[in-house]
């Protein structure tokens, strides 16, 4: 049975540009009046809990549960912050959603703000998303113009203002507490937890941080019901998911599918398979911090639990496909260079560890590896996990560990032959 | 609940709610290694040495003991083989670009990193690299900033912003390019630094140290708690002494008036103590020449002359100027002396040091 697209249905419409009139013509802004008139905030939190919606930013935390953590009787204002700092390498779905269908996000943001009792919301937009931020600004003006934002929204007595805040280009500001620091005008570095943002977040007030795709699901859940939503895909990973497929595939791009889809179907049926008759070598299923999978994992479904059981993670939904011309040591060098560059520098293991991972992988790739380097890498990865303020250190260690697990021989050849066997041949 | 019952490495502890795991462990005599922790500063949890295993019900996690608070019924393990391995690893990374002469103890100065590295048997063996050499910032009149020894524990930055309220030192750069610096990488001299030396007092490695130390950095024979001789605030300080000589002055964080804070003079201004120019006895000028005298002789002379002036020209021919180096009580007495004994209201005070 063909899957009926929800978040990206607009993509099949000719000449669709995502203006408020187009969005309304396609059934947009129907969920908002329904939410305001038919439901109390607590009902909405319950509906989202029942829908099974899990965060689409990376950790897959149940959205309704997160909303439920905010205190009911806090004297402080509550804030909703939309995390639009999409920076995980291989992930480009939020960018598409804000550029092409901004009102779906805004409608979701308004309903979510109503649900948690927020009167001032922020969209923290990745600094590089220049046109995305412009589209959001335009869309917000449109929404204010129609009375969907501002005071007494649709006569309900509910007020909401939304600001777009542009980041300055740091991956770590996608980590929710790093994001809040940055939004407060400080250096973007993660905070110690607890307290978690739901208790003490933006300006030390209760705060919910939700990803763009997560919020974009909300209008559909309100309009069509939690049971309908929960019926899409596997029970514990409900709803549609956007997979950003890149690398060695015929048709790279964003694919909206239920999470029951297997890697094989995603890569070969939807993304058109591997070009030039080459073989699949490796695939990163959830953004660059996810451990790598291989051909033997092709029949793993793309839901959170199955990917975890296969030794990887759903992460941000960024699927990076690599054919047999790719050198995994080179991939390790590139990935570790990224985390080295993006470490905020607070924790010892991360600040120094990411630098050393990069240094050791670089010397192996460039023929200067030592035979003790592989054990050194594994020991470093082991000690970098679960010991730091945020998970950037884990995100740097997990992929390298997995490359060594699945492709150890390739690393050994580099060290033994004192050269990269793919040199001058590979795509990387 | 006002109190929490916790088990730390098998020892039971009953501590008030809100106590950190590190404090609770200290209360039962268990020491957890730290570098970024300082009792005078709020925790920041960046050195990650104090990571411990905690279990409360089904919840099992590794947390930073300096920051995480105890919960009732919590079981804490502070030194499992895994934790000790992680500590050794973190120390190895810290040691990798720490100057060899400091690790070998050739500098003679205290270094908490060196002490921990020795305790854990950590060397530069696995992580060898050319030691990055930063130029020293010696622009301040009182401190030298030597980033080569900096371990980025951020004690100095917290002391500067949270204790002294100056916000001069902070972190510039990111990741392994992070370094302690004033904004815009300015030399310390070109900032609003007040030379209080709080950064130095909190630095664990000597990365920020006394620019003009009184003596070479040798271990003191004794540490004597004393009161600052400069003004009447009564700041406590510790004199590190060897025989009759002061080696250096360090902060006493228990001092009720100052909790370790000192001003530039109180921390650094002790070169006068052994100065050959220093007057240690009264002197009287006779026939244009200074001659040493006894206290009785000197005070008799002053009393006689004050009486003569008052009798001949009236009490308002006299005035009293007192010193900020004296205490409030001493200043009270001097005005009392002026009014009751000399009979004048001509009283003033220098109100500066």
């Amino acid at each position: 049975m063909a899957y009926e697209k929800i978040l990206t249905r607009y993509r099949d419409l000719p000449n669709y540009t995502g203006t408020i009139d187009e969005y309304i013509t396609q059934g947009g802004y129907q969920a908002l009046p329904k939410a305001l008139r038919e439901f109390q905030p607590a009902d909405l939190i319950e509906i989202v809990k029942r829908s099974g919606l899990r965060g689409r930013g990376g950790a897959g935390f149940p959205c309704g549960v997160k909303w439920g953590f905010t205190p009911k009787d806090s004297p402080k204002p509550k804030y909703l912050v939309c995390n639009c700092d999409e920076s995980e390498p291989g992930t480009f779905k939020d960018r598409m959603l804000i550029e092409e269908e901004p009102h779906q996000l805004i409608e979701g943001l308004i309903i979510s703000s109503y649900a948690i009792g927020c009167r001032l919301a922020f969209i923290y937009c990745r600094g590089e998303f220049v046109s995305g931020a412009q589209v959001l600004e335009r869309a917000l003006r449109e929404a204010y113009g129609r009375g969907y934002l501002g005071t007494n929204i649709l006569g309900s007595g509910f007020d909401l203002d939304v600001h777009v805040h542009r980041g300055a280009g740091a991956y770590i500001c996608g980590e929710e507490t790093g994001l809040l620091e940055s939004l407060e005008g400080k250096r973007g570095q993660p905070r110690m937890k607890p307290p978690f943002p739901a208790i003490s977040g933006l300006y030390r007030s209760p705060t919910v941080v939700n990803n763009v795709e997560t919020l974009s699901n909300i209008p559909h859940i309100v309009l069509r019901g939690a049971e309908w939503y929960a019926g899409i895909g596997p029970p514990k990973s409900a709803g549609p998911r956007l997979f950003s497929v890149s690398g060695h595939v015929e048709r790279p791009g964003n694919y909206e599918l239920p999470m029951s889809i297997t890697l094989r179907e995603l890569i070969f049926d939807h993304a058109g398979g591997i070009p030039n008759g080459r073989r699949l070598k490796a695939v990163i299923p959830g953004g660059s911090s996810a451990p790598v999978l291989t051909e033997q994992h092709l029949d793993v479904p793309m839901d959170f639990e199955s990917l975890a059981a296969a030794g990887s993670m759903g992460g941000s939904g960024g699927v990076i496909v690599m054919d047999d011309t790719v050198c995994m040591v080179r991939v390790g060098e590139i990935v570790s260079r990224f985390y080295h560059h993006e470490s905020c520098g607070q924790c010892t293991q991360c600040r120094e560890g990411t630098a050393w991972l990069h240094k050791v992988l670089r010397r192996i790739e460039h023929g200067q590896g030592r035979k003790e380097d592989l054990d050194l890498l594994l020991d470093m990865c082991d000690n970098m996990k679960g010991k730091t303020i945020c998970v950037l250190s884990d995100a740097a260690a997990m992929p390298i560990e997995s490359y060594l697990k699945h492709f150890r021989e390739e690393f050994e050849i580099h060290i033994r032959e004192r050269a990269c066997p793919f040199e001058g041949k590979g795509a990387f | 609940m006002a109190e929490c019952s916790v088990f730390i490495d098998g020892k039971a502890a009953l501590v008030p709610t809100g106590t950190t795991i590190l404090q609770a462990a200290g209360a039962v005599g268990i020491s957890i290694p730290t570098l970024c922790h300082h009792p005078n500063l709020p925790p920041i949890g960046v050195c990650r040495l104090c990571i411990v295993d905690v279990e409360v019900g089904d919840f099992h996690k590794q947390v930073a003991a300096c920051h995480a608070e105890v919960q009732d019924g919590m079981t804490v393990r502070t030194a499992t083989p895994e934790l000790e391995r992680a500590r050794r690893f973190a120390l190895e990374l810290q040691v990798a670009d720490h100057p060899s002469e400091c690790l070998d103890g050739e500098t003679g100065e205290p270094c908490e990193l060196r002490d921990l590295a020795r305790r854990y048997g950590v060397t530069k063996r696995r992580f060898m690299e050319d030691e990055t050499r930063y130029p020293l910032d010696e622009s301040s009149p009182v401190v030298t900033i030597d980033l080569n020894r900096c371990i980025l524990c951020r004690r100095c930055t917290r002391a500067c912003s949270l204790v002294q309220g100056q916000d001069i030192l902070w972190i510039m750069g990111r990741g392994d390019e992070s370094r302690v610096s004033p904004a815009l990488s300015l030399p310390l001299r070109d900032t609003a630094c007040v030379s209080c030396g709080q950064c130095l007092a909190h630095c664990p490695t000597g990365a920020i140290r006394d620019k003009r130390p009184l003596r070479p950095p040798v271990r003191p024979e004794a540490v004597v708690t004393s009161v600052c001789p400069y003004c009447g605030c009564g700041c406590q300080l510790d004199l590190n002494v060897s025989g009759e000589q002061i080696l250096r002055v360090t902060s006493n964080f228990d001092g009720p008036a100052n909790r370790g804070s000192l001003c530039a003079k109180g921390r650094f201004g002790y070169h006068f103590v052994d100065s050959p120019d220093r007057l240690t006895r009264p002197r009287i000028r006779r026939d244009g020449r200074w001659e040493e005298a006894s206290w009785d002789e000197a005070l008799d002379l002053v009393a006689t002359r004050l009486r003569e002036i008052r009798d001949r020209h009236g009490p308002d021919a006299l005035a009293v100027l007192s010193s900020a180096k004296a205490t409030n009580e001493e200043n009270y007495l001097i005005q009392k002396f002026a009014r009751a004994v000399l009979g004048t209201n001509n009283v003033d005070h220098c109100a500066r040091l």
Side-chain angles (χ1 to χ4, degrees):
Chain A
M1 193 180 75
Y3 168 73
E4 176 219 333
K5 281 191 266 185
I6 300 158
L7 301 174
T8 59
R9 191 184 44 183
Y10 70 88
R11 299 203 90 193
D12 296 332
L13 305 171
N15 307 321
Y16 188 84
T17 57
T19 60
I20 197 161
D21 287 326
E22 288 168 291
Y23 181 66
I24 290 171
T25 307
Q26 291 304 317
Y29 286 113
Q30 286 179 16
L32 177 61
K34 183 177 178 189
L36 294 176
R37 283 168 200 154
E38 293 179 24
F39 299 114
Q40 291 300 311
D43 302 336
L44 287 166
I45 296 179
E46 208 43 49
I47 289 167
V48 173
K49 273 185 192 166
R50 278 211 318 277
S51 75
L53 171 63
R54 293 173 66 171
R56 300 292 196 251
F61 194 81
C63 180
V65 177
K66 195 185 232 185
W67 290 3
F69 284 155
T70 57
K72 306 277 169 291
D73 48 1
S74 171
K76 294 179 172 179
K78 289 183 190 173
Y79 296 108
L80 177 66
V81 179
C82 171
N83 187 342
C84 180
D85 192 51
E86 183 178 58
S87 317
E88 181 77 10
T91 315
F92 39 84
K93 56 172 180 86
D94 294 341
R95 174 182 177 178
M96 182 185 78
L97 286 175
I98 59 163
E99 287 181 355
E100 298 180 358
E101 189 71 312
H103 284 288
Q104 180 174 246
L105 166 65
I106 292 169
E107 189 178 7
L109 188 72
I110 303 168
I111 297 169
S112 307
S113 296
Y114 172 67
I116 64 162
C118 157
R119 302 285 177 271
L120 179 60
F122 296 87
I123 303 174
Y124 187 97
C125 193
R126 176 177 172 178
E128 290 87 340
F129 290 173
V130 177
S131 56
Q134 286 167 350
V135 173
L136 283 173
E137 295 279 13
R138 182 209 75 203
L140 287 175
R141 278 197 302 276
E142 290 173 340
Y144 272 103
R146 304 291 174 95
Y148 296 128
L149 282 172
T151 50
N152 194 19
I153 294 168
L154 303 178
S156 64
F158 172 63
D159 309 333
L160 179 69
D161 285 307
V162 181
H163 293 292
V164 174
H165 180 93
R166 285 186 54 208
Y171 173 77
I172 197 60
C173 292
E175 196 277 349
E176 61 179 5
T177 58
L179 184 154
L180 295 176
E181 286 284 293
S182 170
L183 192 52
E184 288 182 8
K186 300 177 191 155
R187 193 181 153 87
Q189 51 187 30
R191 295 175 181 168
M192 286 183 293
K193 286 149 274 199
F196 288 92
I199 308 298
S200 177
L202 187 62
Y203 306 119
R204 303 257 176 263
S205 301
T207 304
V208 169
V209 183
N210 280 148
N211 167 265
V212 170
E213 186 186 342
T214 313
L215 290 174
S216 296
N217 275 286
I218 300 294
H220 304 285
I221 294 172
V222 169
L223 214 50
R224 300 170 74 171
E227 286 64 34
W228 161 80
Y229 190 87
I232 302 168
K236 286 185 176 172
S237 294
R241 177 138 217 213
L242 292 181
F243 295 103
S244 307
V245 185
S246 65
H248 293 134
V249 287
E250 285 287 359
R251 292 189 298 274
N254 284 315
Y255 293 90
E256 180 190 332
L257 291 160
M259 286 182 257
S260 48
I261 196 92
T262 63
L263 258 180
R264 187 188 303 280
E265 291 166 313
L266 181 61
I267 296 170
F268 291 92
D269 298 348
H270 294 277
I274 317 288
N276 308 320
R278 306 221 62 112
R279 281 176 67 95
L280 175 89
K281 176 172 184 174
V283 52
I284 297 170
S288 66
S289 56
V292 76
L293 296 175
T294 62
E295 229 176 349
Q296 55 164 322
H297 302 107
L298 276 176
D299 294 312
V300 172
M302 294 294 284
D303 63 277
F304 292 104
E305 273 71 29
S306 303
L307 284 168
S312 188
M313 60 188 209
S316 62
V319 180
I320 305 170
V321 182
M322 292 170 271
D323 73 12
D324 55 3
T325 60
V326 172
C327 167
M328 290 312 289
V329 181
R330 175 90 176 113
V331 175
E333 186 197 347
I334 292 167
V335 168
S336 66
R337 182 178 67 204
F338 176 78
Y339 291 105
H340 174 200
H341 184 253
E342 297 296 346
S343 169
C344 84
Q346 287 190 99
C347 304
T348 307
Q349 285 92 329
C350 181
R351 180 185 67 237
E352 310 292 334
T354 53
W356 275 103
L357 274 185
H358 179 206
K359 212 174 292 186
V360 173
L361 284 158
R362 189 173 51 200
R363 77 181 175 219
I364 298 174
E365 169 64 7
H366 294 278
Q368 283 135 25
R370 305 160 193 171
K371 64 178 191 307
E372 62 273 20
D373 276 352
L374 302 191
D375 289 336
L376 181 64
L377 283 175
L378 285 175
D379 189 48
M380 287 169 69
C381 291
D382 186 35
N383 283 304
M384 284 171 70
K385 290 187 299 180
K387 303 284 190 293
T388 44
I389 291 176
C390 80
V391 293
L392 191 141
S393 185
D394 305 61
M398 288 186 304
I400 305 305
E401 214 170 25
S402 74
Y403 304 167
L404 270 158
K405 181 177 161 199
H406 295 296
F407 301 97
R408 186 168 176 119
E409 204 187 320
E410 211 167 297
F411 285 78
E412 285 167 350
I413 292 170
H414 277 77
I415 294 172
R416 200 166 54 237
E417 318 230 318
R418 308 198 69 75
C420 174
F422 293 86
E423 188 80 35
K425 299 177 201 149
F428 262 106
Chain B
M1 194 180 307
E3 289 201 308
C4 292
S5 163
V6 291
F7 292 90
I8 307 176
D9 292 344
K11 288 189 187 175
L14 194 64
V15 292
T17 304
T19 306
T20 65
I21 295 173
L22 188 68
Q23 290 165 336
V28 290
I30 293 166
S31 123
I32 300 169
T34 58
L35 279 172
C36 68
H37 173 75
H38 193 287
N40 201 34
L41 301 170
I44 193 166
V46 297
C47 76
R48 312 311 285 174
L49 286 181
C50 71
I51 302 291
V52 292
D53 262 5
V54 298
E55 245 182 285
V56 196
D58 294 337
F59 178 82
H60 183 202
K61 218 183 158 186
Q62 293 182 334
V63 298
C66 67
H67 167 251
E69 293 175 0
V70 292
Q71 288 172 41
D72 198 44
M74 187 183 256
T75 303
V76 181
R77 273 175 285 271
T78 71
T80 65
E82 190 209 338
L83 293 172
E84 291 289 276
R85 197 165 61 238
R87 284 178 190 139
R88 204 166 287 125
F89 174 70
L91 286 168
E92 260 188 292
L93 293 175
Q94 287 282 19
V95 157
D97 62 351
H98 205 68
S100 304
E101 68 269 20
C102 181
L103 294 170
D104 297 341
E106 288 163 20
T107 60
E109 280 166 285
C111 174
E112 293 179 29
L113 177 61
R114 180 205 305 143
D115 296 346
L116 279 171
R118 285 184 179 169
R119 182 171 140 198
Y120 280 88
V122 165
T123 62
K124 286 175 182 267
R125 189 177 57 81
R126 289 203 304 171
F127 299 103
M128 294 283 287
E129 73 177 318
D130 296 336
E131 287 167 14
T132 322
R133 284 292 169 181
Y134 292 96
L136 303 185
D137 178 354
E138 296 186 285
S139 66
S140 153
V142 294
V143 297
T144 296
I145 302 183
D146 178 357
L147 294 180
N148 303 300
R149 290 196 213 166
C150 176
I151 57 169
L152 292 163
C153 66
R154 306 186 180 204
R155 288 197 207 168
C156 56
T157 60
R158 278 176 287 161
C160 189
S161 59
L162 302 175
V163 178
Q164 198 65 24
Q166 289 300 114
D167 279 309
I168 304 297
L169 291 177
W170 190 228
I171 303 288
M172 296 278 291
R174 205 170 62 159
D176 72 329
E177 291 176 356
S178 304
R179 64 200 183 283
V180 168
S181 164
L184 312 177
S185 300
L186 290 172
L188 207 46
R189 178 190 51 216
D190 296 344
T191 69
C193 173
V194 295
S195 298
C196 66
Q198 291 288 10
C199 48
L200 167 151
H202 290 82
C203 180
T205 61
I208 300 183
R209 55 181 181 265
D210 197 338
K211 187 180 170 186
R212 297 189 306 135
L214 291 174
R215 300 273 184 290
V218 294
R219 188 180 284 275
E221 282 172 15
V223 177
V224 183
T225 299
S226 184
V227 177
C228 176
Y230 273 98
C231 79
C233 286
C235 294
Q236 272 191 15
L237 44 74
D238 282 343
L239 297 174
N240 296 242
V241 297
S242 194
E244 290 292 300
Q245 288 190 322
I246 300 173
L247 302 178
R248 60 186 163 272
V249 169
T250 51
S251 281
N252 183 321
F253 291 100
D254 299 325
N258 60 320
R259 301 265 168 222
S261 293
L262 290 169
C263 69
K265 291 186 182 180
R267 190 185 302 282
F268 299 109
Y270 295 94
H271 293 79
F272 75 89
V273 174
D274 296 317
S275 168
D277 296 337
R278 183 176 166 194
L279 298 182
T280 54
R281 287 225 190 110
R283 295 205 290 181
I284 295 171
R285 189 161 54 193
R286 291 196 181 99
D287 304 328
R289 284 176 52 200
W290 286 106
E291 288 175 11
E292 283 201 349
S294 72
W295 280 105
D296 280 344
E297 210 181 336
L299 288 172
D300 282 349
L301 176 65
V302 171
T304 311
R305 291 287 296 129
L306 286 177
R307 186 178 289 120
E308 279 172 23
I309 293 168
R310 187 189 61 185
D311 293 348
R312 188 180 305 165
H313 303 287
D316 283 339
L318 293 166
V320 166
L321 179 68
S322 72
S323 165
K325 287 185 81 163
T327 63
N328 278 346
E329 291 80 357
E330 288 162 340
N331 277 308
Y332 174 82
L333 287 175
I334 197 75
Q335 65 82 31
K336 191 84 176 169
F337 171 76
R339 292 191 167 100
V341 178
L342 300 180
T344 178
N345 289 321
N346 293 337
V347 180
D348 206 351
H349 183 276
C350 75
R352 75 191 75 85
L353 282 172

